[in-house]
């Protein structure tokens, strides 16, 4: 790798669905030569859903990250953050009584240093599901919500994709975030399910439209290597084509690993750097004014 990436702002721990403690992640980051580490627990405050941090654990999470900030301040700079989910409607048969919007005001009581805004869920009048799930579960939900029962060929993949990007556009318009998380996560199971074709004109128009909305929002887009780290994909989010469009619109980007284990903190960073360079980027931009020059 020609450019050492010494920062990661997308880090999960045992406070949500990570496999290592926050301190274990810090020690690993130091050993890997990181100078900056941002923690981003999955959040959908004030509720919990699946992999999200439980409401009763927020206080402990904040206290632990702040403790680690002090303990390791001579070795690494640590930032407290959240990966906050956007959910446009209330949960069905669940506790969330109103839409969940990633916003600094919503999380203000925890005094976060940054917020990643992400869309994991596709919501319809029939129900909702996470696109970041097993292939079988994504397939079943696509059939149930975008097709006819037990007939995958009936799935309207274009509608699912457009709904996903539209949800992110709505999030950007309604929220106050620093980083946009994995903007084309909808691709995660497409290499196996083939429910849409990225080469088709409609898809190219969708990412171009979405990119323009991102540019208006002034957020940083992450080049996320989590799909590679977990063996779900061989590509980053966003794709090179998507990144190239973002570059023409002067949208800043950073590289994040979406790490859930200590050994994936810098997963595929060399490939992500190549993606950024191939898209025309010369530098990476992180919250707190951090810049890393690419070469």
């Amino acid at each position: 790798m020609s450019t050492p990436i010494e920062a990661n702002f997308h880090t999960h721990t045992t406070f949500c669905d990570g496999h290592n403690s926050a301190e274990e992640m810090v020690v690993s980051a130091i050993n890997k030569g990181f100078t900056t580490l941002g923690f981003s627990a999955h959040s959908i405050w004030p509720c919990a859903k699946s992999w999200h941090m439980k409401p009763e654990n927020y206080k402990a999470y904040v206290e632990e990250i702040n403790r680690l900030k002090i303990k390791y301040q001579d070795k690494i700079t640590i930032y407290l953050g959240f990966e906050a989910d956007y959910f446009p409607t209330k949960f069905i048969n669940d506790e969330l009584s109103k839409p969940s919007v990633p916003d600094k005001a919503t999380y203000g009581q925890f005094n976060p240093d940054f917020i990643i805004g992400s869309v994991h869920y596709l919501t319809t009048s029939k129900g909702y599901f996470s696109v970041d799930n097993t292939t079988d579960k994504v397939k079943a939900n696509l059939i149930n919500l975008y097709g006819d029962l037990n007939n995958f060929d009936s799935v309207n993949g274009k509608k699912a994709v457009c709904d996903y990007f539209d949800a992110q556009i709505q999030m950007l318009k309604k929220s106050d975030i620093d980083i946009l998380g994995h903007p084309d996560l909808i691709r995660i199971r497409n290499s196996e399910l083939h429910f849409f074709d990225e080469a088709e004109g409609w898809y190219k128009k969708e990412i171009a439209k979405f990119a323009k909305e991102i540019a208006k929002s002034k957020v940083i887009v992450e080049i996320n290597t989590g799909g590679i780290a977990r063996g779900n994909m061989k590509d980053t989010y966003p794709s090179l084509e998507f990144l190239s469009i973002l570059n023409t619109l002067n949208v800043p980007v950073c590289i994040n690993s979406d790490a859930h284990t200590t050994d994936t903190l810098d997963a595929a960073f060399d490939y992500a750097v190549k993606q950024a360079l191939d898209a025309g980027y010369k530098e990476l931009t992180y919250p707190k004014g951090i810049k890393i020059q690419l070469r």
Side-chain angles (χ1 to χ4, degrees):
M1 183 170 64
S2 60
T3 302
I5 305 303
E6 301 169 344
N8 182 61
F9 273 73
H10 197 149
T11 311
H12 297 291
T13 72
T14 48
F15 278 103
C16 51
D17 63 344
H19 299 281
N20 292 97
S21 69
E23 187 153 15
E24 287 172 335
M25 296 301 259
V26 171
V27 172
S28 177
I30 292 169
N31 290 338
K32 290 177 180 292
F34 279 53
T35 60
T36 307
L37 184 66
F39 285 97
S40 55
H42 282 295
S43 309
I44 192 163
W45 177 260
C47 303
K49 187 67 178 171
S50 187
W51 60 82
H52 298 90
M53 185 164 55
K54 295 179 180 179
E56 60 267 27
N57 291 337
Y58 276 67
K59 183 175 183 291
Y61 169 70
V62 171
E63 290 178 348
E64 175 64 359
I65 304 308
N66 286 332
R67 180 186 75 84
L68 295 173
K69 283 185 180 184
I70 297 171
K71 180 176 179 178
Y72 292 96
Q73 61 185 337
D74 294 334
K75 296 180 179 180
I76 192 170
T77 301
I78 296 172
Y79 292 112
L80 167 69
F82 297 94
E83 182 183 10
D85 246 294
Y86 174 68
F87 199 91
T89 59
K90 62 183 179 182
F91 286 145
I92 300 170
N93 299 322
D94 212 323
E95 61 181 318
L96 191 65
S97 61
K98 62 181 180 179
S100 176
V101 179
D103 193 87
K104 289 176 182 175
T106 302
Y107 291 86
Q109 62 186 294
F110 307 112
N111 197 27
D113 297 308
F114 70 98
I115 292 178
I116 298 174
S118 294
V119 173
H120 291 92
Y121 294 99
L122 265 176
T123 62
T124 75
S125 59
K126 298 179 182 179
Y128 64 90
F129 73 100
S130 170
V131 301
D132 189 5
N133 211 324
T134 65
T135 302
D136 287 344
K137 288 183 178 179
V138 171
K139 180 179 181 179
N141 280 298
L142 284 171
I143 293 171
N144 290 336
L145 301 183
Y146 288 94
D148 297 325
L149 194 62
N150 297 322
N151 181 9
F152 188 70
D153 290 337
S154 70
V155 168
N156 188 339
K158 178 179 178 180
K159 179 69 165 60
V161 171
C162 291
D163 282 355
Y164 183 75
F165 286 150
D166 184 63
Q168 290 185 98
I169 290 172
Q170 293 306 312
M171 176 181 69
L172 290 173
K173 290 180 177 179
K174 297 175 182 178
S175 65
D176 181 13
I177 61 176
D178 300 285
I179 299 173
L180 175 62
H182 39 61
D184 51 1
L185 181 65
I186 189 71
R187 298 164 55 228
I188 188 170
R189 298 299 177 188
N190 194 46
S191 61
E192 297 168 281
L193 296 177
H194 307 289
F195 62 98
F196 70 96
D197 185 351
E198 292 182 47
E200 290 189 2
W202 70 264
Y203 182 78
K204 295 177 183 291
K205 289 180 181 178
E206 280 299 307
I207 60 174
K209 180 180 75 172
F210 183 24
K212 290 180 181 178
E213 293 297 330
I214 293 171
K216 291 178 186 177
S217 71
K218 307 297 183 183
V219 299
I220 301 167
V221 172
E222 67 173 9
I223 304 175
N224 185 308
T225 63
I228 301 173
R230 288 181 285 167
N232 296 326
M233 291 182 64
K234 295 181 180 179
D235 198 12
T236 57
Y237 317 110
S239 65
L240 177 58
E241 182 174 8
F242 199 163
L243 272 174
S244 298
I245 296 171
L246 292 172
N247 181 56
T248 65
L249 296 170
N250 298 313
V251 174
V253 297
C254 64
I255 291 175
N256 282 332
S257 63
D258 200 345
H260 288 68
T261 59
T262 54
D263 61 331
T264 57
L265 270 169
D266 55 356
F269 272 15
D270 52 349
Y271 179 69
V273 167
K274 183 178 185 303
Q275 289 281 85
L277 289 169
D278 288 349
Y281 281 96
K282 305 299 182 185
E283 71 175 11
L284 303 176
T285 302
Y286 295 82
K288 303 298 179 181
I290 299 171
K291 302 276 189 179
I292 296 177
Q293 299 302 310
L294 293 173
R295 58 184 184 278

